Amino acid sequence: MSDLDTSDGALPGAEAVVRVPKTAELVANSIRRRIIQGELSEGDTLPPEAQLMEQFGISRPSLREAFRILETERLIEVKRGSRSGARVSLPKVESVSRYASYFLQASEVKVSDIYEARLALEPYVVRALSDRPSAPAVARLRAEVSKLAAFSDDNQEREYMIASAHFHSVLMEVGGNATLYFLTRVLEDVIAQYQKRHVTAAADVAQRKRNREAGVKSITKLIDLIEAGDADAAEAHWRLHLTNTSKTWGSDKTLREVLA
């Protein structure tokens, strides 16, 4: 007999009782799997309740509990009293970033941590882009810096800050690493919230304008270096840019303090 065998079929020393999933959880798992695997698309309507109850062999309360689970996960939208039924809503990074903001605030993470995270991620992507310069990637980055320049020239400070936070996401997107792009998008909303709230407290109007102009100039230089394929210079330049940004915007205050 194997040393894993016991008279009652349990593992030796196992004391925890394995919880059997509820019917509603099993149904939610089945629908969730179909959404994630692409069998159901954004906006698709799930079959009527009666059909789903018959398909899964469950009661109406169990089905509605499964719907509540999926609604909480923002994978479906249910209009009460509507004959249209439940509609599929694909996973969105905005939902993750919103929850991430709450988590970071509750965990008393410092503002400076967010900017340090950029410093840990973005130079790697800049080097990768410079090693293999891509005309479409460069064109996309130039389009973004043009928006920044326009907002700066028109003194649209809030729009500039939103676009500035978005530029970092675009940089990671064209870098080609989907996971790093996702992480940056999660942080983008948090950074944009912080910078929008505190843009006018940074310095006087003239200094803020000089800061914006310097930012546009620095980003333009980065793109030029990427296009030239100068990986060492591009990485060094962007590391310095992010370090200076952290000095300007970083704070020992927590996100809870600045976003509350």
Side-chain angles (χ1 to χ4, degrees):
M1 178 179 295
S2 166
D3 60 0
L4 292 179
D5 293 331
T6 62
S7 58
D8 61 359
L11 295 176
E15 298 178 357
V17 177
V18 177
R19 186 179 73 85
V20 178
K22 295 168 63 177
T23 300
E25 293 172 333
L26 294 172
V27 173
N29 289 344
S30 177
I31 297 173
R32 184 189 303 109
R33 188 179 305 112
R34 293 185 62 196
I35 294 172
I36 292 173
Q37 292 180 347
E39 297 175 28
L40 294 169
S41 303
E42 179 77 26
D44 283 354
T45 302
L46 296 182
E49 285 189 352
Q51 184 175 333
L52 288 172
M53 288 162 54
E54 181 178 355
Q55 175 183 336
F56 290 109
I58 59 174
S59 65
R60 178 170 277 106
S62 292
L63 177 63
R64 291 186 174 177
E65 185 178 350
F67 278 5
R68 282 193 290 272
I69 293 172
L70 295 170
E71 276 190 292
T72 300
E73 297 171 351
R74 298 180 180 273
L75 292 176
I76 65 170
E77 297 177 358
V78 181
K79 293 185 177 180
R80 309 301 175 191
S82 171
R83 295 184 179 181
S84 61
R87 290 189 177 276
V88 172
S89 179
L90 295 180
K92 296 177 176 60
V93 72
E94 289 79 11
S95 299
V96 180
S97 64
R98 186 180 304 112
Y99 187 84
S101 176
Y102 300 151
F103 175 83
L104 292 170
Q105 291 180 60
S107 301
E108 297 191 82
V109 169
K110 294 180 179 179
V111 173
S112 57
D113 284 12
I114 305 298
Y115 288 92
E116 288 174 11
R118 277 182 172 177
L119 189 56
L121 298 176
E122 294 186 20
Y124 168 82
V125 170
V126 165
R127 172 167 285 279
L129 280 168
S130 304
D131 282 338
R132 296 179 299 278
S134 160
V138 169
R140 179 83 185 279
L141 294 174
R142 291 203 186 282
E144 292 299 318
V145 78
S146 293
K147 295 177 186 176
L148 280 171
F151 288 138
S152 177
D153 292 342
D154 293 341
N155 293 318
Q156 295 179 271
E157 292 186 283
R158 288 173 60 85
E159 289 78 6
Y160 177 89
M161 288 301 169
I162 295 170
S164 176
H166 184 61
F167 174 82
H168 294 268
S169 293
V170 173
L171 177 66
M172 302 300 271
E173 180 184 5
V174 299
N177 187 299
T179 303
L180 293 180
Y181 173 47
F182 168 77
L183 292 174
T184 303
R185 288 190 66 192
V186 169
L187 294 177
E188 175 189 342
D189 183 58
V190 179
I191 291 174
Q193 285 182 59
Y194 168 64
Q195 292 186 168
K196 281 190 298 181
R197 290 195 184 192
H198 297 274
V199 59
T200 56
D204 60 46
V205 174
Q207 184 60 52
R208 295 202 303 269
K209 184 173 180 60
R210 286 193 293 270
N211 289 345
R212 294 197 304 273
E213 291 171 345
V216 171
K217 183 178 179 180
S218 179
I219 292 172
T220 301
K221 180 178 179 179
L222 169 71
I223 300 170
D224 290 341
L225 291 169
I226 289 174
E227 187 173 32
D230 193 340
D232 289 339
E235 181 181 6
H237 171 72
W238 201 238
R239 191 175 296 279
L240 178 61
H241 174 96
L242 293 173
T243 299
N244 290 335
T245 300
S246 180
K247 290 178 180 177
T248 300
W249 288 99
S251 169
D252 284 335
K253 290 185 176 180
T254 67
L255 287 169
R256 180 193 296 178
E257 292 176 284
V258 299
L259 295 181

